[in-house]
Amino acid sequence: MAQNEDYIVGILLDVALVTRTQVEYARQHTKGLGVIDALVGEGFITQEDVARTLAAQNGMEFMDLAQIVIPPNIIDLLPVEDARRWKAVPVGMREGALLIAIGDPMDMQTMDDLAFKLQREVEFVCSTPDAIRNNLIQYYGGEAEASTAADLADGEFHEAGADDAPIIKMVSLLLVEAHQNRASDIHLEPLESKFRVRFRIDGVLQEMPSPPKKLQAAMVSRIKIMSGSMSIAEKRLPQDGRIQIKIGDKAIDLRVSTIPTVHGESVVMRILDKTSLMLGLPDLGFLSDDQTKFERHINLPDGIILVTGPTGSGKTTTLYGCLNYMNKPDRKLITVEDPVEYQMSGINQVPVNASIGMTFPAALRAMLRQAPNIIMIGEIRDLETASIATNASLTGHLVLSTLHTNDAPSAVARLVDIGIKPFLVSTSVRAVIAQRLVRRLCPKCKQPAELSEYEMNMLRLDSGQLADSHVMRPVGCELCRGKGYKGRMGIFEIFVVDDEIRNMINNNASTIALRQRGRELGMRTLREDGVRKVLAGMTTAEEVLTTTMTDQD
C-alpha cells in the first residue's frame, strides 16, 4: 500500500490495531507478501483498518466506495488511462474541487502527478486498494491493471482471468459484489436508454452503477453460458437456469430467470447462500416463548405443521430451519420441492419434474413407500397433494408444508376450500405459523428513540408499556452501508389446534371464531409479535406497521 512498511507497522502498533506477536508471526509467514498483506491475510487486521488509520495519520478523509454510486459525468473527468495508471477513481465534486479516491494516502508523488495532469483543483480521499480496483473494473471496464473478480474471490471464483474479455470480468465482479452486499437477488433490467442493475438487499431494491447499454446483450449471453442449460440463440421465450459458483470459501447457487421485454431480455438471478441453512430458530426471529412452543410441535411424531404467508415472506427459509433442527441420524427426512432450492446433507430431496410425470402427488406417493419419519412438501396447492399429505399425517408421519394465506387461522378455510373434509383437517393439523419479514436494526449504529403518538396509537401501546422498553431508531454506518438496517427476521403468529378448536373445525366454525379461540389460547397476531420486537430494540415501528398493514387486530 505504501512505500515504508516499517513506518506503517509502527503506526499500527502505536494505535494498538496489532500486537508485536502478530507482527512477528506475519513476518515469518509472509509467503512472498509484504508484512501488511500478511497481517491482512492472517486476519489480524483488515484493509479498511489500515486505510482508515493511514488516512487519519495523514489528515485525509476515508471513503467507503461501496456506499456510493458515481455519476457517469464524474467518471468522465478522469480518462481511463489515467485512472488505471495511478489506480485512482473520481468520486464527486466538493466546492469546485474534484474528489479523487486513492488507495495510499502516503503516495505524494501520485497526488502531485494527478493534480498536474488534470490542471484543476483536486481533493484526495482514501479508500482500500480492493475498493479502488473494484471501482476501476466497474466504471472503466477492468483491463489488465484492474483486479479481476477472481482476485476478489480469493482465487476460488475462476470465471475470469487477467486475459479474459471485459464482459466475463464484469459479470464475475457483479456476482461477487452482490454476494458481498448480502443481496438476495440481482436484477438486470433493459430500459430504453440504459441497462439498469439493482440488488435486493434486506428485501429492498437498491440501484447499483449501470454497465454501458451496449454491453447488455453480451452480459445476458455470458450469464446464459454460465448456466450451461440456457440457449443464447433464444431471445423470444422465457428461460430458466442455474449457476453454481464458489466465492471465497462459500458455495453459492444462483437461480437464473430471463424474460423478453421490448428493450431486450430482463434477467433475475436469485442468490441461494447455503450458509442460511444453518440458521437456528432464534436466528429466524423466534423469541424464547414462541421458540419453545414451535419446538414442541415440530418434535411431534405425526400431524401437519403449516407455514403460511405471501411470496417472499420467508416460508421456505423457516422450513429449512426446521429441517436443519430435525436432521438427526435416527430420523429419515424426505422433501419434495419445485425446485430444490438448497441441497442439504443427510436429507433425501426430490425435485418435481412435471414434464416426465414427476408431479407433487406422484413424488409423494413414492416417498411414502420409503418409510420416512418426516416429510416436507414445498407447497400444498391442489386437492391431490393435500389429500396425500393429510393421509400421510394420519398414518404416523410428520408433514411440513406451506400455504398462501394472510394469517394462521385462515389456513383451515384454505384447506377446506381445496377440498379436504373438515374432520380430516381437524385431526391432521397440529399448528399453523403465519409469518412476515421485517428488517433488523443495525447492531452497530442503532440509537435509543421514542415512539411518536401516531406509532403509539397504531401499535396500541400506552406509556406504561414503555417502562422497560429499548426502542431504537436506524442511523446508518459503514457496516449497514448507511441504511440503518442489517439483515431480516420473522414476525410470527402461531395458531395451535387444541381439542376445542378441533370441535369448532368439525362444526364449520368461521375463521373469525377460530381466531378468537386462538387468542384465548395466547396466540399473538403478527403485529403484536412485531411490537415485542420493537420494544426489544430489534426493529422499528415503521417496519412493523408497513409489514402488517392487513393485520386487523
Side-chain angles (χ1 to χ4, degrees):
M1 169 182 280
Q3 301 97 334
N4 192 332
E5 278 206 328
D6 289 339
Y7 176 71
I8 297 173
V9 169
I11 293 174
L12 297 176
L13 287 168
D14 287 343
V15 298
L17 272 179
V18 294
T19 66
R20 295 193 181 278
T21 301
Q22 290 171 336
V23 171
E24 289 307 314
Y25 181 88
R27 290 189 191 281
Q28 296 170 19
H29 297 80
T30 56
K31 299 177 182 178
L33 302 173
V35 177
I36 304 300
D37 288 337
L39 286 167
V40 172
E42 293 294 338
F44 296 137
I45 53 174
T46 66
Q47 277 194 357
E48 184 171 329
D49 292 332
V50 178
R52 283 184 179 277
T53 301
L54 293 181
Q57 289 286 324
N58 288 273
M60 187 180 292
E61 175 187 347
F62 176 85
M63 184 173 289
D64 184 354
L65 297 186
Q67 295 191 33
I68 65 171
V69 176
I70 307 172
N73 64 308
I74 297 296
I75 289 295
D76 291 343
L77 295 176
L78 184 62
V80 58
E81 61 274 11
D82 294 336
R84 289 179 182 146
R85 176 182 175 185
W86 283 297
K87 295 182 175 60
V89 178
V91 294
M93 299 292 298
R94 180 180 294 166
E95 298 179 354
L98 176 62
L99 287 178
I100 295 181
I102 59 174
D104 185 353
M106 299 171 63
D107 189 354
M108 301 303 298
Q109 186 64 53
T110 288
M111 289 185 269
D112 289 343
D113 290 346
L114 268 170
F116 179 78
K117 169 77 177 191
L118 294 174
Q119 291 294 300
R120 65 177 300 157
E121 188 176 355
V122 177
E123 181 179 342
F124 291 96
V125 296
C126 178
S127 194
T128 65
D130 274 358
I132 298 293
R133 285 193 290 267
N134 290 357
N135 276 257
L136 286 172
I137 296 171
Q138 186 69 41
Y139 294 103
Y140 290 102
E143 293 294 342
E145 291 199 38
S147 173
T148 68
D151 299 325
L152 300 177
D154 197 24
E156 294 294 336
F157 194 152
H158 299 296
E159 294 300 333
D163 299 321
D164 290 335
I167 296 299
I168 297 177
K169 297 177 183 178
M170 289 183 71
V171 172
S172 298
L173 179 66
L174 182 73
L175 301 181
V176 173
E177 286 182 336
H179 178 259
Q180 290 175 341
N181 285 302
R182 301 178 297 104
S184 59
D185 305 275
I186 304 170
H187 294 251
L188 306 179
E189 302 163 315
L191 306 179
E192 183 177 6
S193 60
K194 65 184 288 189
F195 189 38
R196 182 168 68 180
V197 175
R198 293 193 290 177
F199 293 167
R200 190 181 298 278
I201 302 173
D202 295 337
V204 179
L205 280 172
Q206 300 179 24
E207 187 161 353
M208 310 303 289
S210 299
K213 174 74 172 175
K214 64 183 180 181
L215 301 182
Q216 172 182 309
M219 290 182 68
V220 173
S221 294
R222 174 61 189 165
I223 291 167
K224 288 181 176 180
I225 291 170
M226 290 175 68
S227 78
S229 61
M230 302 171 74
S231 170
I232 61 173
E234 181 55 75
K235 297 177 173 63
R236 302 162 300 170
L237 297 174
Q239 296 189 64
D240 295 303
R242 193 161 195 157
I243 298 172
Q244 294 183 318
I245 57 176
K246 192 172 184 183
I247 298 178
D249 59 352
K250 286 189 175 182
I252 306 294
D253 283 358
L254 297 102
R255 281 173 52 190
V256 185
S257 171
T258 66
I259 189 169
T261 73
V262 293
H263 298 300
E265 290 181 280
S266 174
V267 181
V268 175
M269 291 181 280
R270 183 178 182 190
I271 302 172
L272 305 174
D273 186 347
K274 295 182 180 180
T275 58
S276 64
L277 298 181
M278 307 312 293
L279 291 177
L281 297 183
D283 300 313
L284 295 173
F286 284 99
L287 296 180
S288 58
D289 54 346
D290 281 345
Q291 180 180 339
T292 300
K293 186 186 300 183
F294 191 39
E295 287 179 350
R296 184 167 65 248
H297 284 85
I298 60 178
N299 281 313
L300 292 173
D302 55 29
I304 296 177
I305 296 174
L306 297 170
V307 181
T308 76
T311 301
S313 60
K315 300 187 299 295
T316 301
T317 301
T318 296
L319 285 183
Y320 276 112
C322 293
L323 291 177
N324 183 55
Y325 174 83
M326 296 184 291
N327 188 10
K328 299 175 182 176
D330 61 343
R331 297 173 176 174
K332 184 177 180 72
L333 283 72
I334 303 183
T335 75
V336 54
E337 305 169 64
D338 182 19
V340 174
E341 293 194 0
Y342 300 94
Q343 296 178 19
M344 299 184 70
S345 176
I347 295 178
N348 300 275
Q349 296 174 269
V350 180
V352 167
N353 188 344
S355 64
I356 60 172
M358 181 61 93
T359 60
F360 268 109
L364 282 169
R365 282 191 291 268
M367 284 167 54
L368 292 175
R369 295 192 288 272
Q370 294 282 310
N373 301 105
I374 299 164
I375 297 170
M376 193 270 271
I377 306 170
E379 181 186 350
I380 293 178
R381 59 180 71 172
D382 55 49
L383 175 58
E384 192 172 9
T385 302
S387 297
I388 297 172
T390 301
N391 290 332
S393 72
L394 297 174
T395 54
H397 304 86
L398 181 64
V399 179
L400 307 177
S401 191
T402 69
L403 273 179
H404 285 280
T405 63
N406 285 331
D407 61 13
S410 296
V412 172
R414 174 68 178 139
L415 289 174
V416 173
D417 288 343
I418 288 175
I420 303 298
K421 300 296 183 184
F423 77 91
L424 289 175
V425 175
S426 67
T427 53
S428 60
V429 176
R430 299 285 184 262
V432 183
I433 297 91
Q435 72 175 71
R436 300 289 190 277
L437 293 177
V438 295
R439 289 183 291 174
R440 290 181 186 266
L441 281 164
C442 175
K444 182 176 180 180
C445 65
K446 64 182 180 180
Q447 292 183 0
E450 294 183 0
L451 296 175
S452 68
E453 184 177 348
Y454 168 78
E455 291 170 334
M456 294 278 288
N457 291 335
M458 292 299 292
L459 297 178
R460 298 186 180 181
L461 291 170
D462 56 53
S463 57
Q465 293 171 281
L466 299 178
D468 297 321
S469 67
H470 300 85
V471 177
M472 297 285 180
R473 66 178 178 89
V475 177
C477 65
E478 70 279 0
L479 180 65
C480 60
R481 300 181 70 246
K483 300 300 180 181
Y485 297 94
K486 190 174 188 297
R488 290 190 290 175
M489 64 180 172
I491 55 175
F492 304 96
E493 178 179 273
I494 302 179
F495 177 68
V496 176
V497 179
D498 71 345
D499 289 338
E500 184 174 338
I501 287 180
R502 290 190 182 92
N503 289 331
M504 294 172 70
I505 295 172
N506 289 335
N507 293 320
N508 295 309
S510 68
T511 298
I512 294 175
L514 293 175
R515 169 174 283 276
Q516 181 59 39
R517 174 56 185 165
R519 299 297 301 277
E520 292 171 359
L521 291 173
M523 182 187 79
R524 298 182 185 86
T525 66
L526 290 164
R527 179 164 292 184
E528 287 169 345
D529 189 44
V531 167
R532 293 201 300 165
K533 288 160 184 172
V534 171
L535 298 180
M538 301 167 72
T539 188
T540 62
E542 180 183 8
E543 279 291 297
V544 172
L545 290 172
T546 302
T547 306
T548 61
M549 289 292 290
T550 59
D551 195 335
Q552 300 299 314
D553 287 271

